[in-house]
Amino acid sequence: MESSARLRTAPSFTRPSSPAAACLHLIRHFQPVMRSTLIEGTGRSQPTVTRAVSALIGADLVRERPDLSTPTGPGRPTIPLELATSPWIQIGVAVGTKATYIGAVNSRGAVLREQMIDVTPSAITVDEFIEIVATHTNNLAKFSELPIANFGMTTSGVVTDTGMVTAPNLGWENTDVVSRLRRRIHVPITVTSVITAIAGAEQQAQSPARPARVLVFYADDSIGAAVASPEGVQLLPVRHLRSLEDSATNLAAKVNPAEIVLAGSAFEVPTTARAVGRALRQVAGDAEIRVIPTHLDNARAAARAVALDRLIDDPLGLAKRLASASSAPAAGAVSGLGTGAKRRPQPGFGR
C-alpha cells in the first residue's frame, strides 16, 4: 500500500516544516553554511539540528567541507556544510497547447537535460499523450543512470487537488491525468496548474532571510494569478476587465505585493510588457516588477518548481523511498530506478 505522501498529487509549496527540510532549505540558499547558522535560521535546538544534518548526510543530500573549515580557537574546528552531488533526479513536465517541455533537474535545482516535444494534446488521446511523456521520461532515466525521485507535471486550465484537469486548449475535460501517469510512471507524481507552479517557483527562489509576498500575473492560453508567500501559494480570482493593464492593476491594488511577476506568452511582446508595467507602477509603489518573457522560461520555471516540491517538503521521506526502491524496484516502463541505477555525478548537460 502506498503512503499518503506518495499518493499526494497536489504540490505542497509551503515553508519547509520538518527539521531536515528546514535545514536543507537554508543550505540550498546559503551554502556553504555552519551548523550555528542552521540553528539560528531554523529556530531549532542544537541537538535537533545535529540529528537533522546527520540524517541529510546519511541520505547523500548534504556533505561536510572540512577543506573550508577555519579554526577559531581551541577545540574541534567547525566544518561548513553544502549540498552533496545529487543522488537522484527529478522530472518536470510543462504541458503546452502545441509543445510540451520536459526536463531533468538535480537536487540543487540545476537543469541537467531538457527538451521541447512537438505534440498537440488535443489532436491525440490522453493515453497516447501520456505514452509519449513516459517514453521521454524513460529516456531521461537511461541518460542519467540515476534514480528518479519524483515526477511533476503542470498544465493550463484548472487542476483539482486530486489531479483532475480541465483545460479546453488541451481538449481535456475533468480528465484523470494522474491515474494514467501512475500506470506508466512508478514514482510519486505531482500535477498542478502552470500558474500555481510559477508562483511556487518564486517561493522556492526566495531567500529565507528576506521572504516577500509575490503576485504572479499570468497571461497565455488563459489568464490567471496567484500569490506566493513563505506560508504557501494561493490562486486568485481574476476580473477580466477591458485590458491586461486593468486586470493586473486591479489585482495589485488588492494584494499589495512586494514583488510582481508578469509571466506568459502575452508578455513576450515588449510593448505589452511595458504597458502593463507602467500601469502597475501607478498602483504598486516601490514593488519590484519582473517579466518571465519567453515560453521556454515559463515552462522551465513551472516544471522545475513542481519537480522539486517533494524534495523541498520531505527530503528524508524521498531518501527512504528511494532506498526501498533500490532493493525492490517497481515493475513498468519507469520506476524509481533509472536504467542501471548507478549513483554517480552527472555531466552538465542542458541549461
Side-chain angles (χ1 to χ4, degrees):
M1 182 176 179
E2 292 180 301
S3 68
S4 59
R6 180 180 169 86
L7 288 171
R8 171 173 69 83
T9 60
S12 174
F13 291 145
T14 57
R15 185 196 301 268
S17 57
S18 72
C23 287
L24 186 68
H25 186 54
L26 291 171
I27 294 168
R28 289 181 68 244
H29 280 275
F30 300 131
Q31 63 179 333
V33 300
M34 301 296 187
R35 286 170 173 81
S36 58
T37 301
L38 302 182
I39 294 170
E40 180 181 357
T42 64
R44 267 48 174 217
S45 67
Q46 185 270 330
T48 297
V49 168
T50 297
R51 287 192 296 270
V53 169
S54 295
L56 290 169
I57 292 174
D60 292 334
L61 286 168
V62 170
R63 65 186 177 191
E64 294 184 316
R65 289 294 304 274
D67 55 308
L68 298 180
S69 64
T70 303
T72 58
R76 183 182 178 185
T78 55
I79 300 175
L81 301 164
E82 69 176 15
L83 293 181
T85 300
S86 187
W88 52 54
I89 59 170
Q90 285 84 201
I91 301 295
V93 175
V95 181
T97 304
K98 295 183 178 180
T100 289
Y101 170 95
I102 181 168
V105 300
N106 63 16
S107 57
R108 295 172 182 254
V111 178
L112 303 176
R113 193 172 182 88
E114 62 183 3
Q115 63 183 127
M116 279 289 186
I117 308 167
D118 292 327
V119 57
T120 302
S122 62
I124 58 178
T125 68
V126 181
D127 290 319
E128 288 172 331
F129 176 76
I130 297 303
E131 181 67 24
I132 292 170
V133 170
T135 298
H136 284 276
T137 298
N138 195 45
N139 290 338
L140 287 175
K142 291 178 180 178
F143 163 78
S144 70
E145 297 185 4
L146 288 170
I148 298 176
N150 50 82
F151 175 98
M153 175 181 283
T154 73
T155 78
S156 54
V158 177
V159 183
T160 69
D161 288 344
T162 57
M164 305 294 286
V165 180
T166 296
N169 64 304
L170 304 179
W172 296 354
E173 177 66 34
N174 201 31
T175 300
D176 186 355
V177 174
V178 170
S179 293
R180 288 176 168 88
L181 285 169
R182 282 190 176 136
R183 290 197 289 268
R184 298 289 285 113
I185 299 173
H186 303 287
V187 298
I189 291 168
T190 305
V191 179
T192 193
S193 72
V194 64
I195 302 167
T196 299
I198 291 175
E202 291 298 317
Q203 183 203 56
Q204 291 174 0
Q206 282 186 3
S207 169
R210 297 183 60 190
R213 186 172 174 83
V214 182
L215 169 64
V216 174
F217 182 59
Y218 181 83
D220 204 294
D221 296 316
S222 58
I223 296 177
V227 170
S229 70
E231 286 68 38
V233 170
Q234 177 186 3
L235 287 173
L236 299 175
V238 178
R239 291 184 61 191
H240 297 276
L241 303 175
R242 294 176 303 173
S243 63
L244 287 179
E245 294 97 303
D246 289 344
S247 295
T249 54
N250 179 266
L251 285 167
K254 293 179 179 178
V255 173
N256 191 28
E259 300 177 19
I260 300 172
V261 175
L262 305 177
S265 61
F267 300 110
E268 289 190 62
V269 181
T271 53
T272 300
R274 285 195 292 267
V276 175
R278 284 194 299 268
L280 284 170
R281 185 59 62 205
Q282 300 300 314
V283 299
D286 295 330
E288 177 187 347
I289 300 174
R290 291 181 286 110
V291 178
I292 304 179
T294 70
H295 177 69
L296 177 59
D297 290 332
N298 282 278
R300 183 187 295 126
R304 178 166 47 199
V306 74
L308 287 172
D309 176 69
R310 289 178 185 266
L311 169 66
I312 293 172
D313 182 56
D314 184 19
L316 297 183
L318 275 184
K320 183 177 180 180
R321 193 198 66 77
L322 265 292
S324 298
S326 65
S327 59
V334 182
S335 73
L337 295 177
T339 301
K342 299 176 183 177
R343 302 178 71 170
R344 63 173 177 79
Q346 311 96 314
F349 288 88
R351 294 173 184 262

